[in-house]
């Protein structure tokens, strides 16, 4: 496949990333080479290196683009329904969105056959650290609006909250065939676990949810921008 002239920078990057995603899911991280990626995408190796400095950065961009799309979906949900800002609703949507996106599902379930050593890459760890900052700001908004239990120490949630959430992802390969819950049913059980563990028993008012949503939207949009910058290096067409 020859490279088409006149493609914009982001269009060209997306074409390469689409090919990289398909190869990642079909072959796994270990087997995909820049040579094969360039051949399948119909570009020269030098074109790939115009966008990313290494194979590792290409696949970091693949996962970051998927994460940006997931963040966009969450932002849209909160914008359309302020009740989606509640912690249990937010994490329910995150679970469903991630499990419906094969690359993110591989990341969250720690699928080593697909991702190999990519899980230990420094770029991946840096992105996780940026997500932690966003999560702290988001949780502070919830606490200020009374959407979290007042006796919680927010600093403790850095560990306890992701441990619970990632447990739902990580447990997937270990469930026996007799457990036949649908994705929606699993998401409901995650949401109920989070609600009972971290939220007050009294249902929040509509006004509190609207205030929290208005404050949280810029924070969640920042997460989408961070992921997009990790995809395109902050140099993309909008």
């Amino acid at each position: 496949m020859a490279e088409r002239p006149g493609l914009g920078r982001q269009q060209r990057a997306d074409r390469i990333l689409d090919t990289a995603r398909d190869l990642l899911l079909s072959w796994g991280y270990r087997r995909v080479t820049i040579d094969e990626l360039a051949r399948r995408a119909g570009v020269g190796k030098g074109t790939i290196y115009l966008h990313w400095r290494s194979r590792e950065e290409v696949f970091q961009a693949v996962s970051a683009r998927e994460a940006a799309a997931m963040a966009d979906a969450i932002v849209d949900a909160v914008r359309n329904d302020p009740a989606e800002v509640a912690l249990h609703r937010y994490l329910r949507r995150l679970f469903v969105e991630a499990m419906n996106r094969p690359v993110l599902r591989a990341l969250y379930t720690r699928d080593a056959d697909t991702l190999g050593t990519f899980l230990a890459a420094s770029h991946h760890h840096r992105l996780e650290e940026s997500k932690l900052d966003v999560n702290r700001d988001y949780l502070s908004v919830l606490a200020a609006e009374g959407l979290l239990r007042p006796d919680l120490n927010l600093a403790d949630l850095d560990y306890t909250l992701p441990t619970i959430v990632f447990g739902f992802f990580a447990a997937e390969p270990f469930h026996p065939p007799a457990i036949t819950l649908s994705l929606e049913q699993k998401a409901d059980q995650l949401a109920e676990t989070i609600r009972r563990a971290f939220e007050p028993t009294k249902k929040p008012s509509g006004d509190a949810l609207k205030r929290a949503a208005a404050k949280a939207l810029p924070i969640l949009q920042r997460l989408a921008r961070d992921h997009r910058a990790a995809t395109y290096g902050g140099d993309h067409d909008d």
Side-chain angles (χ1 to χ4, degrees), residues 77-95:
V78 174
R79 186 181 287 120
N80 293 330
D81 181 3
E84 287 285 311
V85 79
L87 185 61
H88 73 285
R89 296 275 293 268
Y90 166 75
L91 291 174
R92 185 192 189 283
R93 184 165 294 276
L94 183 149
F95 182 79

Side-chain angles (χ1 to χ4, degrees), residues 16 19-20 23 27 29-59:
I16 296 168
T19 305
L23 287 172
W27 291 11
Y29 178 73
R30 293 184 186 91
R31 292 184 57 198
V32 182
T33 65
I34 290 293
D35 286 321
E36 183 64 22
L37 174 57
R39 188 180 72 80
R40 296 285 185 115
V43 300
K45 286 175 60 177
T47 299
I48 294 176
Y49 288 123
L50 285 175
H51 294 271
W52 306 281
R53 293 174 296 183
S54 66
R55 185 178 75 118
E56 177 187 301
E57 285 195 6
V58 173
F59 288 106

Side-chain angles (χ1 to χ4, degrees), residues 3 20 27-28 32 35 54 100 106 115 129 144 150 170 182 192 197 207 213 215 234:
E3 184 171 0
W27 291 11
V32 182
D35 286 321
S54 66
N100 277 327
L115 298 175
E129 289 170 3
S182 68
E192 184 64 9
D207 287 342
K215 294 177 184 177

Side-chain angles (χ1 to χ4, degrees), residues 105-160:
R105 183 170 66 243
L107 275 171
Y108 279 101
T109 59
R110 294 304 193 257
D111 181 354
D113 288 339
T114 300
L115 298 175
T117 56
F118 175 71
L119 291 172
S122 59
H123 286 78
H124 178 65
H125 288 308
R126 286 198 294 272
L127 199 55
E128 291 297 319
E129 289 170 3
S130 72
K131 285 166 55 180
L132 178 61
D133 290 337
V134 168
N135 286 338
R136 286 171 174 170
D137 290 345
Y138 161 68
L139 291 171
S140 294
V141 166
L142 298 188
E145 293 298 336
L147 302 183
L148 295 178
R149 280 181 18 223
D151 59 319
L152 289 176
N153 180 350
L154 292 188
D156 291 340
L157 300 190
D158 288 350
Y159 176 78
T160 56

